[in-house]
Amino acid sequence: GCPAGERAVVLYGASVVSFGFRYPSEEVETLRRFAMEKDKARFLTVYQAILSYIENLKVSFFLRICVCYDVINAMIKIVIELQGDAAAQNILSKNARAFGLKSGDVDGYVALIKELKDQICANWETSESKDMLLDQIKSFIAQHYKEEDFCVQSVADWFHMSLPNMSAYFKSRTDVTLIQYITEYKMGYAMELLSTTDLSLAVISAKIGYSTPSSFIRKFKQYTGMTPGEYKKVHAMGEG
């Protein structure tokens, strides 16, 4: 059992932590870690335990407020890390008006904690949605890159985005530009054609979307370190 005045709270898994009167700093740090790992199930389990601790804490009003401040401060930092200062400022200004935090209403602090939790969870859902879009973009490129007129604008048009927005989104999610990503596919296709067919450079360059053989040769050498002719010769020697 717990010593008098302490409270046991199951935080996650089978672990049991006894709270005496202290700030639940270790538990809040665990909350932050699960938030950064986007482990929603364990984040919510720890959050609920901390919230239950605050709501059932049998201490003075002042000490309850102090604990609330610590938890709010930690969750604001999580929101800032995930979404930036503006998202945190928006929640704080709205709650200061709606819940009368300046008047010392404990329920208002608890409501703010809950809203911060909702904001963190909403950020994950948005991120998951964005990841789905990225998967769709990559799948679209894989299916269509062999088309002669396929280019970055084809991707933007298909997903109803402007080219600058599409390019910025793709770079933010992959750390490579959209044109670099498509070029990798096209150069791979060019190597396949050079290795397995006797098509002329003019035909191959047209097939992968270059208007002239010279621009294709320049890009191919930049990408592989060899001209298309050199690549074809090396491949033919390898077969022999």
Side-chain angles (χ1 to χ4, degrees):
C2 299
E6 293 196 351
R7 185 180 308 279
V9 180
V10 177
L11 285 182
Y12 56 93
S15 299
V16 176
V17 176
S18 292
F19 289 104
F21 177 69
R22 63 177 177 80
Y23 297 136
S25 55
E26 292 179 10
E27 293 71 30
V28 170
E29 175 55 30
T30 301
L31 189 77
R32 192 200 71 80
R33 178 164 59 85
F34 288 154
M36 294 301 104
E37 292 173 359
K38 298 183 180 179
D39 189 333
K40 187 173 182 179
R42 290 199 286 179
F43 170 84
L44 290 175
T45 300
V46 177
Y47 158 80
Q48 194 56 55
I50 292 172
L51 192 65
S52 178
Y53 169 68
I54 291 171
E55 291 175 336
N56 293 289
L57 196 57
K58 305 302 182 186
V59 293
S60 68
F61 169 82
F62 173 74
L63 289 176
R64 284 186 72 195
I65 293 298
C66 288
V67 174
C68 286
Y69 267 124
D70 271 12
V71 175
I72 288 169
N73 182 52
M75 295 186 76
I76 288 171
K77 288 179 180 178
I78 293 171
V79 171
I80 290 172
E81 285 188 69
L82 292 174
Q83 295 179 272
D85 293 346
Q89 288 289 347
N90 181 53
I91 294 174
L92 291 175
S93 61
K94 180 171 65 174
N95 278 277
R97 293 191 300 271
F99 300 116
L101 298 187
K102 294 179 181 179
S103 68
D105 177 10
V106 174
D107 290 341
Y109 289 92
V110 171
L112 174 54
I113 291 170
K114 290 178 179 178
E115 182 152 351
L116 287 164
K117 177 266 296 181
D118 290 341
Q119 184 74 17
I120 292 165
C121 291
N123 178 77
W124 291 335
E125 291 167 3
T126 300
S127 296
E128 289 169 0
S129 176
K130 287 182 178 179
D131 288 340
M132 287 177 61
L133 174 59
L134 180 62
D135 289 342
Q136 290 170 355
I137 292 170
K138 288 182 174 180
S139 177
F140 179 76
I141 292 170
Q143 291 171 21
H144 296 280
Y145 73 94
K146 290 185 178 181
E147 297 171 6
E148 291 185 16
D149 59 349
F150 185 79
C151 62
V152 290
Q153 189 65 55
S154 308
V155 183
D157 290 346
W158 181 263
F159 290 95
H160 307 289
M161 296 173 68
S162 69
L163 183 55
N165 286 346
M166 170 59 76
S167 299
Y169 166 76
F170 194 87
K171 180 70 161 60
S172 72
R173 307 300 291 184
T174 65
D175 290 328
V176 298
T177 66
L178 182 60
I179 194 167
Q180 285 174 328
Y181 188 82
I182 292 175
T183 297
E184 287 180 5
Y185 267 99
K186 285 184 173 289
M187 290 298 109
Y189 183 37
M191 288 186 277
E192 176 189 334
L193 293 174
L194 287 166
S195 302
T196 61
T197 74
D198 291 320
L199 295 174
S200 68
L201 287 183
V203 172
I204 291 175
S205 62
K207 274 185 170 294
I208 63 171
Y210 286 88
S211 57
T212 63
S214 59
S215 59
F216 163 63
I217 292 169
R218 185 167 56 252
K219 177 59 72 173
F220 189 89
K221 186 172 184 179
Q222 180 184 354
Y223 186 79
T224 66
M226 294 183 281
T227 66
E230 290 168 342
Y231 180 87
K232 191 174 184 69
K233 186 180 295 185
V234 167
H235 182 80
M237 289 173 60
E239 285 187 338

